[in-house]
Every structure is written in structure tokens, then in C-alpha cells.
Amino acid sequence: MAVVLTLFYLASPLSVNAEEACVEVPEQAASESFRFQPSPEHDALEKRLPQGLIVRSIRYQRFSVFDRDDPLENNWIYNWANDFHSVTREWVLNDHLLLEEGSVFEQHRAEESERILRNLKFIYDATVRPWRWCGNEVDIEVITRDIWTFTPSISFGRSGGENSSALGFRDSNFLGTGKQVLLEYDKDGDRSGYTLGYSDPSILGSRWEGRLRFTDNDDGYDHSLRLERPFFSVYEKWAAGGQVEQQKQEEKLWFRGDKVAEFQHEREDYRIYGGIAAHTEVDKRVDRWLFGYQYQNHEFSYSDSRRPPDALPEDRVYSYPFIGYQSVEDEFIELHNFQYLGRTEDVFVGERYRWSLGWSGESFGATRDQLVIDARYLNTLTATSKYLWVFETQLSGFWTLDDESFENLWWQLETRYHFKQSRNWLLYSGLRVDYSDGLTAEKQVTLGGENGLRGYDRNYQVGDRSVVWTLEQRYYSDWHPFRLFRVGLAAFIDVGRAWYQSEDNGSNGDVLADAGIGLRLNSSRAEKSAVIHIDLAFPFMRDDDVDDVQLLLTVKDRF
């Protein structure tokens, strides 16, 4: 046995403890672990592990926001930030792992645990890997790095001719417990008000999640409560949940970027659901049956606005049980500099689809008998370190039996193509098509501002259908100012139109286009999904009500 271990030791960089017959990987330097540098030694150990090993122990290495071993980050203000920040507690990380002591080690569960941890709003990156192998047992280490989660909400923005601002604070990892606390006052072109919020991604250490939100605006309110046990893993066998939402807000109708009508909309929404996986075989497609019940009540009234509508939308009630089906392929890859800057991106590259049908009938208290339709299809057509091409489409709406017509049918098709020209350069092209039929009077298909056609006011064109195409040349720089955020640049062209097929669309109602340049800021110490966009856009087709240039300041969930 000693001869075998000696030969094994000479053939690899792994150290072998002959007395205990263990293969052990030397501990990675703290600064390398902080920056999640690749470790060939750990990769070699993973490849040599046999099937059926038992997890003997799990150790944790938890890093704060800044690296004290890096001279560029070892200063008084960053050290103060580390001292003020509460590092995520071990039990919080343990609650989200798919491995536990005494369970069988499966590499796919370690990889999925990494994705789950990285998806948490308070984790910058995560690694879950074996570091020691002894007989039929293996020891696991979990390495995580926190982001700064206490965020004063002091912001100002402008998009499509509208100003917005916010004041308050949010902590998405309160005292290192993973709980989110929110208190905020915000104001935009539509409304202003206060928001209180609390969410728990692992109630009492379980797989159940909870979210409570209370918003009081000057034109209404938004109260919601959600409790659910989602399919937290691709191979989880069941899910269940429910939500309650009560909302009152002032709806706006738009034309050429101006509000042409305002009225009150009160909505109640109650939903319970469950899901059962048909089979959960590893490395295969996972199929799930979904079922539940949903109730929605919509009521409309005149507000004190000086722009009342000619007629209010019809009050209506939807009340329906539903059944559906979902299919998911377990395929992911890790990419860098696609949607974000300098972050590990877990990109789903398989095929995923779902559909559900419901019956909203008068016997359930609904306004009329209707078939409820909801479907979505997502597929990654190409996925490599150089190319990423995603296709997505979704459909929702109601089919009314009495007059054989659609109500609020909305079909959207979107495709996004990324071509990685080099480590820092990427060419992006995106196409989005929206089509609707039988929209109720409070709904519009809009285009302009941040949702397309950046050279025009928000909601500049309206209709029952739209198409917009974007071409962007992106640059992901290596500049990391103050070790706080990464910087990107973009040059873009937008071409699109929203219109009614059989109505007069007014002046400047044809195809519009703009071009511009933009700055992208993605914090390396805060949530990766908050990408700051600063764009200057210049419209090609102008009318008297179109400015020569639009300045947009927005925060989006991607580059």
C-alpha cells in the first residue's frame, strides 16, 4: 500500500498522508482563494474521485468585501468597511448547499451548490470542491466572498424625459443572516411613496422562502406576501407556495411620450400552486407537473387627475384552477464578460419550456367563461466561450367563449446574439417582437426610452404591436477604479416601431431609429445584477416634440 501511495504522490502535486491513507490538496493561498483563481490541484483531485464517496466534513472559508492581503485594498476606509460588514454566517451557507455531512458526494450537486450560492444577492462568487480524500470518505470546502449589502438608496436618474429619485436603505444580508430589510422613499414620473420590505431565503433553515412588502404611494398602495418552497434544485422532487397581493395605483395611457389619460386601478391577486417532478434522473431532462388556483379582481375608477379617460376600463374578475407542465434540461456553462463585467456568469444553455391551461368560469365567480393560456419556451441555440445565441418566446392571455375572441393576448419573441471578438470586445445584436390582441383599455404596447429606442421619450410610440432591433459594440475594460467597480463602453443603434395595424398612428408614427454611446458601471463589491447605464442617444427621425439628444441614467440587470 505504501508503494502505491508513493507512486501516486510522485505522479501528482497532491500530498499523501500515508498513515491515514489520505490524499490531500495543499491549501490555496488566501489571496488566490479571495479572487477565485483556478486550482489545478483541486481539479486533479476531483477527476480521481471514485463514485459513492461519503461526505465526512464540510469546512468554510468566508471572505469579507475587501482583501486585506492586497496592498491596493489594505487601507483604512476598506478595512473599516470590512469591520462594519457582517460576514455571511456558516449556517446561512449550509442552508443553501445540496451536500451535507453523511451524504453521498456527487459532483453535479457540488456544481449546482456553487450556482445556488452565486445566485444569492449577497455573495460575489463561490466555490464548492473536495480538498481531501480518505478511503471511502471525502472532505469538502466551501469558499465564498461577500459583497457590500448595506446600501443607502440615494439615487437620481433620468430616462425618456422623466426624472426619478430614491432615498432610504436596504440590506440584503442583515447582520450576515441572509435576510433582506428594506426602507425606501422613491419618486419617479408616475408616483412617489414609501416601501417597507423583508425577505428570508431560508425560513428557519428550511427550503421555504418568504417575502413581505408594504408600499404606500401618493396614488395608491402595494401590499404583498409570498411564501413558497420552489424547485431550489434542478432535481428537486416537489414545490409549493402561495402569494397574496393587493395593489392600488394610478394607471397612465401614453401618446408621443405624454400622458393622455390617468385613472385608478385596484387589483387583488391570490395564488396557490404546487409542482411535482415526474422523474429526477441526473444529466437528463427533468419534467414537472404544475397545478394551482388563481384569483384576480380588477376595479377601475376616476382619479383626481386633470386627464381622465373618455371611458373607464371594464371591471373584471378572473377565477381559475390551472394545470401545467414544465421541462428543463440540466445544462449550464460558466462565462465571463457577457452580461456583466468581471464576474462569473452561470448561463443556462439548455432547452426549457412550460405551459399551463386554466378555466376561468362564472361558476368560480369570474366575470365570464374564459380559457386561460400561459406558455414560455427558451432555448440556447449556440453556447461557447465565443458565441452565445439565445431564443425566447412567451404567450399569455384569455380566450372568451361567448364571442370567440381573445382578451389581453400578448405574444413576445426575443433573440439575443453575442459574438466575443476578443477578451475585451463583444458584438451584441438583439431583436424583440411584441404582438397583442384584445387588450383591455388600461394596457398598451409602448416603445421609447429604456425599453427600446433610447433616442426618444419614454413610451413615445404606442400600439398593439412593436418590433425593435438593437446592435451594440461593447468594450469590457480592465479598468477597476478604486477596486470598487468595473467600467464598460458601448456604441449602439436602435431601430424599431410600435403601431396599430388599423388605426392612424399620428405624426412620426413610422419606423424610428437612433444611435448613441454609453458608459456601463458594474460594481465589484455590490449586486452583480445592478449595472448602471449612462447613455447619450441621438434620434434620426425627429418631430417638433423630439429633442436633439436624450440622456438616460438607468440601472438594469445586464450590460
Side-chain angles (χ1 to χ4, degrees):
M1 182 64 177
V3 174
V4 175
L5 292 174
T6 301
L7 293 174
F8 182 76
Y9 175 79
L10 294 175
S12 74
L14 307 178
S15 64
V16 179
N17 185 325
E19 182 178 349
E20 298 182 6
C22 292
V23 182
E24 182 176 320
V25 178
E27 187 172 353
Q28 194 175 20
S31 185
E32 292 182 4
S33 295
F34 181 91
R35 303 195 183 286
F36 297 90
Q37 297 296 318
S39 172
E41 294 83 3
H42 286 86
D43 294 340
L45 177 60
E46 287 180 4
K47 294 177 181 178
R48 292 172 177 167
L49 294 180
Q51 298 292 322
L53 295 180
I54 302 300
V55 177
R56 182 172 66 175
S57 67
I58 301 176
R59 73 180 186 186
Y60 296 86
Q61 191 173 13
R62 300 165 297 136
F63 291 105
S64 191
V65 182
F66 296 96
D67 185 5
R68 297 182 189 270
D69 294 333
D70 187 338
L72 296 177
E73 297 183 18
N74 188 9
N75 58 60
W76 71 268
I77 189 169
Y78 292 165
N79 289 335
W80 174 86
N82 274 358
D83 293 337
F84 182 82
H85 175 76
S86 297
V87 179
T88 303
R89 302 171 189 267
E90 285 188 8
W91 56 265
V92 175
L93 303 176
N94 186 71
D95 288 343
H96 290 85
L97 293 181
L98 302 178
L99 297 170
E100 60 183 6
E101 295 179 0
S103 66
V104 176
F105 175 77
E106 297 174 279
Q107 183 59 36
H108 76 92
R109 285 191 170 271
E111 294 171 355
E112 189 173 3
S113 294
E114 287 185 354
R115 294 196 295 268
I116 291 173
L117 292 175
R118 276 195 290 265
N119 196 46
L120 296 174
K121 292 184 176 182
F122 46 87
I123 297 297
Y124 175 85
D125 207 340
T127 296
V128 179
R129 63 192 181 189
W131 67 276
R132 183 167 57 192
W133 166 29
C134 299
N136 66 343
E137 295 180 316
V138 63
D139 297 312
I140 306 300
E141 68 177 355
V142 177
I143 303 174
T144 60
R145 175 175 143 197
D146 283 6
I147 61 170
W148 182 261
T149 58
F150 181 80
T151 308
S153 300
I154 304 175
S155 64
F156 302 91
R158 181 175 177 82
S159 174
E162 297 282 354
N163 295 320
S164 62
S165 61
L167 178 64
F169 78 91
R170 178 185 62 182
D171 195 335
S172 58
N173 191 13
F174 186 65
L175 299 179
T177 63
K179 323 302 182 189
Q180 183 182 87
V181 178
L182 169 67
L183 172 61
E184 186 175 69
Y185 169 81
D186 60 272
K187 181 179 181 180
D188 59 24
D190 294 333
R191 58 188 57 86
S192 63
Y194 296 89
T195 298
L196 301 173
Y198 174 80
S199 65
D200 188 341
S202 181
I203 299 174
L204 299 177
S206 70
R207 300 296 186 182
W208 285 88
E209 303 176 0
R211 179 178 180 270
L212 175 66
R213 190 177 183 91
F214 181 92
T215 299
D216 187 11
N217 295 316
D218 55 7
D219 65 344
Y221 53 81
D222 187 352
H223 308 154
S224 64
L225 172 65
R226 185 181 68 197
L227 179 66
E228 64 177 345
R229 185 186 189 274
F231 286 108
F232 56 86
S233 164
V234 174
Y235 299 100
E236 180 56 27
K237 296 181 179 180
W238 66 277
Q243 69 178 38
V244 176
E245 184 172 1
Q246 298 175 334
Q247 184 182 77
K248 179 181 179 181
Q249 67 178 30
E250 191 170 61
E251 297 280 6
K252 278 84 173 172
L253 297 180
W254 299 83
F255 188 76
R256 295 296 178 267
D258 295 325
K259 303 167 190 173
V260 295
E262 295 175 312
F263 50 92
Q264 291 286 353
H265 180 189
E266 291 188 67
R267 181 174 67 90
E268 293 179 288
D269 193 343
Y270 307 97
R271 186 174 187 265
I272 57 173
Y273 80 92
I276 299 175
H279 63 80
T280 56
E281 295 181 45
V282 176
D283 297 327
K284 292 183 179 291
R285 181 183 294 275
V286 176
D287 301 314
R288 302 162 176 163
W289 285 102
L290 311 174
F291 49 87
Y293 172 81
Q294 186 154 2
Y295 174 90
Q296 292 183 356
N297 181 31
H298 298 263
E299 296 182 359
F300 302 89
S301 60
Y302 290 102
S303 65
D304 56 2
S305 170
R306 297 180 180 179
R307 294 180 287 264
D310 294 334
L312 288 171
E314 178 188 4
D315 294 344
R316 58 189 186 275
V317 174
Y318 306 113
S319 179
Y320 56 93
F322 63 87
I323 187 170
Y325 187 80
Q326 183 183 58
S327 184
V328 180
E329 282 185 335
D330 182 20
E331 292 189 37
F332 290 83
I333 60 173
E334 292 182 8
L335 297 175
H336 294 82
N337 284 351
F338 274 76
Q339 305 290 0
Y340 309 108
L341 292 95
R343 294 283 188 99
T344 300
E345 303 175 30
D346 295 304
V347 180
F348 174 75
V349 295
E351 182 185 49
R352 176 179 298 181
Y353 64 85
R354 64 166 171 80
W355 58 261
S356 68
L357 295 174
W359 177 254
S360 182
E362 297 180 10
S363 57
F364 296 121
T367 303
R368 56 182 65 88
D369 291 335
Q370 293 177 309
L371 180 67
V372 187
I373 306 166
D374 186 37
R376 184 185 182 213
Y377 178 83
L378 171 67
N379 197 5
T380 304
L381 305 178
T382 303
T384 68
S385 60
K386 192 173 182 179
Y387 304 99
L388 179 64
W389 186 11
V390 178
F391 172 83
E392 181 178 1
T393 185
Q394 51 190 334
L395 175 72
S396 63
F398 303 84
W399 173 258
T400 305
L401 270 67
D402 289 344
D403 53 11
E404 297 184 344
S405 64
F406 283 110
E407 179 177 289
N408 285 334
L409 179 74
W410 199 301
W411 172 67
Q412 183 179 88
L413 180 149
E414 186 173 7
T415 182
R416 302 181 294 275
Y417 185 79
H418 303 75
F419 169 45
K420 198 74 173 290
Q421 300 153 305
S422 67
R423 191 176 71 86
N424 299 98
W425 291 91
L426 183 145
L427 185 66
Y428 167 84
S429 178
L431 174 69
R432 190 184 77 236
V433 177
D434 287 271
Y435 173 82
S436 67
D437 188 13
L439 291 185
T440 48
E442 80 278 9
K443 294 182 179 292
Q444 292 177 302
V445 177
T446 64
L447 202 57
E450 63 186 73
N451 74 331
L453 293 178
R454 284 165 279 189
Y456 298 85
D457 284 343
R458 183 168 65 124
N459 304 326
Y460 182 75
Q461 284 190 333
V462 299
D464 57 12
R465 62 201 69 192
S466 71
V467 58
V468 59
W469 173 71
T470 296
L471 182 68
E472 277 193 2
Q473 177 64 64
R474 299 176 174 180
Y475 175 66
Y476 302 77
S477 79
D478 295 321
W479 191 27
H480 195 188
F482 309 108
R483 298 295 182 96
L484 293 177
F485 53 87
R486 297 190 179 275
V487 180
L489 301 172
F492 58 85
I493 296 174
D494 302 323
V495 180
R497 184 191 184 199
W499 75 100
Y500 293 101
Q501 180 67 24
S502 56
E503 295 185 22
D504 180 14
N505 293 283
S507 62
N508 225 19
D510 294 325
V511 175
L512 303 179
D514 62 68
I517 56 175
L519 178 68
R520 306 289 180 262
L521 303 176
N522 194 186
S523 174
S524 59
R525 313 293 172 173
E527 290 184 30
K528 66 181 178 182
S529 58
V531 182
I532 299 174
H533 287 229
I534 305 175
D535 291 321
L536 279 177
F538 304 89
F540 292 157
M541 295 78 173
R542 294 206 302 268
D543 207 344
D544 293 339
D545 56 355
V546 177
D547 295 330
D548 293 337
V549 60
Q550 284 282 349
L551 172 64
L552 293 89
L553 304 174
T554 56
V555 178
K556 297 187 177 181
D557 61 356
R558 63 181 70 171
F559 191 105

